[in-house]
Amino acid sequence: MDRPAWAPESVDMQQASPARMYDALLGGSHNFEIDRKAAEAGKRLVPDLPRLALSNRAFLRRAVRFLADQGVRQFLDIGSGIPTVGNVHEVAQSVDPEIRVLYADIDPVAVAHARAILVDNDKAAAIEADLRKPDELLARVRGTGLIDFAQPVAVLLVAVLHLLSDEERPVEKVSALYGAVPAGSYVAISHLTSELRPEDAGKLGRNAADVTRVGIHFRSKDGISAMFDQWELVEPGVVELPAWRPESERDLYETPGRSLGLAGVGRKV
Ligand code: SAM
């Protein structure tokens, strides 16, 4: 397969990536055959997998609108993924065009594509950065000059913390971000869970490890709630993706009681 224009030279086209697999699940066009194969293998095991991806995107949209309505004017979206319908800057800037958005991702395709769609937007940017190295990530964020750490920041960690193993200490990474932002800031987290469908979670975790060599770590509700320990949880707390402040029937992509993801929003007081 020829290398498409959107794929930087550094990208290994034979190795699936979480960003491109997720793009394939959402019906996007920035993925390789290996990513599509991985997504198809996941769908064969758990046919409602694409609805999980849509459910997660719907949570992201609701959380961003909620946070913009709370008055937050800057968003740091870590593990932002390949841009797709309902991007954070589109949702946030539809509430207030002055809102600033910084996207950060470890995947060069995600960053390159985000930069391409943001060329005319001086209030949004994208950087390559690794959540596992929060000090470096924060230095890069400061280097952009886009985020003012004296003002409240909405930190988005949506569908990314489950890509960190226990050894990579995801709770500590959330804590490092807590330490960097002022009171009045928020964190929004969604995370794959083994709480409600342990068998399906097990199948998907094994599929990711075997077929794609990508580690996906489904966690219990307690494990995910621990990420909010320092934050004051906003109602309704840590709940299934479709149960976090649904706005309409449209948000109910997954059957209640059967979501493979949990989500919550916390405030630094
Ligand atoms: N946040 C978007 C959403 O929920 O629609 C995209 C989620 S996608 C499933 C996960 C993203 O996290 C991918 O784009 C992947 O490249 C990124 N990612 C994985 N590990 C990361 C890390 N250590 N640091 C930053 N981003 C990471």
Side-chain angles (χ1 to χ4, degrees):
M1 181 186 172
D2 291 340
R3 181 174 292 274
W6 47 261
E9 282 297 326
S10 59
V11 173
D12 177 357
M13 292 172 59
Q14 303 308 320
Q15 166 65 42
S17 92
R20 286 182 271 111
M21 281 155 52
Y22 182 69
D23 181 66
L25 272 180
L26 286 167
S29 55
H30 291 79
N31 47 71
F32 303 137
E33 197 182 340
I34 183 99
D35 305 303
R36 292 189 287 279
K37 268 193 185 157
E40 284 306 321
K43 272 199 273 181
R44 274 195 298 279
L45 292 169
V46 176
D48 58 348
L49 193 55
R51 300 190 74 78
L52 166 66
L54 291 169
S55 183
N56 181 62
R57 288 298 297 181
F59 161 72
L60 174 64
R61 281 194 290 276
R62 297 195 301 279
V64 169
R65 246 193 319 267
F66 170 82
L67 294 168
D69 288 344
Q70 302 309 299
V72 184
R73 288 298 172 263
Q74 31 183 14
F75 286 71
L76 174 56
D77 183 2
I78 303 175
S80 47
I82 293 169
T84 181
V85 178
N87 286 306
V88 170
H89 71 283
E90 292 162 347
V91 177
Q93 291 175 351
S94 74
V95 176
D96 178 351
E98 292 302 310
I99 289 179
R100 299 185 301 285
V101 178
L102 184 60
Y103 293 107
D105 203 287
I106 201 174
D107 189 299
V109 172
V111 177
H113 189 41
R115 286 188 176 144
I117 64 165
L118 294 173
V119 279
D120 294 327
N121 192 326
D122 63 357
K123 303 249 170 349
I127 54 169
E128 202 170 313
D130 187 343
L131 174 60
R132 293 169 301 182
K133 299 175 184 162
D135 292 344
E136 266 177 44
L137 180 144
L138 286 163
R140 284 189 191 190
V141 172
R142 289 197 175 89
T144 66
L146 197 65
I147 303 291
D148 172 4
F149 282 94
Q151 301 296 323
V153 182
V155 179
L156 308 179
L157 293 166
V158 178
V160 62
L161 287 159
H162 50 235
L163 297 167
L164 271 56
S165 65
D166 289 349
E167 292 68 36
E168 289 170 328
R169 303 193 181 280
V171 173
E172 279 179 19
K173 306 308 178 252
V174 181
S175 183
L177 295 164
Y178 178 89
V181 296
S185 295
Y186 288 85
V187 70
I189 293 175
S190 71
H191 196 297
L192 288 172
T193 187
S194 49
E195 189 78 25
L196 301 167
R197 294 166 63 181
E199 267 186 38
D200 285 341
K203 281 191 227 167
L204 289 171
R206 281 190 298 276
N207 176 61
D210 298 349
V211 179
T212 66
R213 289 179 281 137
V214 170
I216 300 186
H217 308 276
F218 288 73
R219 294 193 167 94
S220 65
K221 184 170 183 181
D222 283 350
I224 297 165
S225 299
M227 295 170 180
F228 290 100
D229 270 356
Q230 293 171 290
W231 309 78
E232 183 181 85
L233 270 174
V234 164
E235 285 297 317
V238 177
V239 294
E240 286 182 77
L241 286 168
W244 198 88
R245 296 178 180 250
E247 289 165 1
S248 69
E249 290 289 309
R250 225 168 35 96
D251 286 329
L252 303 177
Y253 287 105
E254 293 173 294
T255 312
R258 287 190 52 77
S259 179
L260 282 161
L262 296 179
V265 171
R267 182 168 190 268
K268 180 166 177 174
V269 287

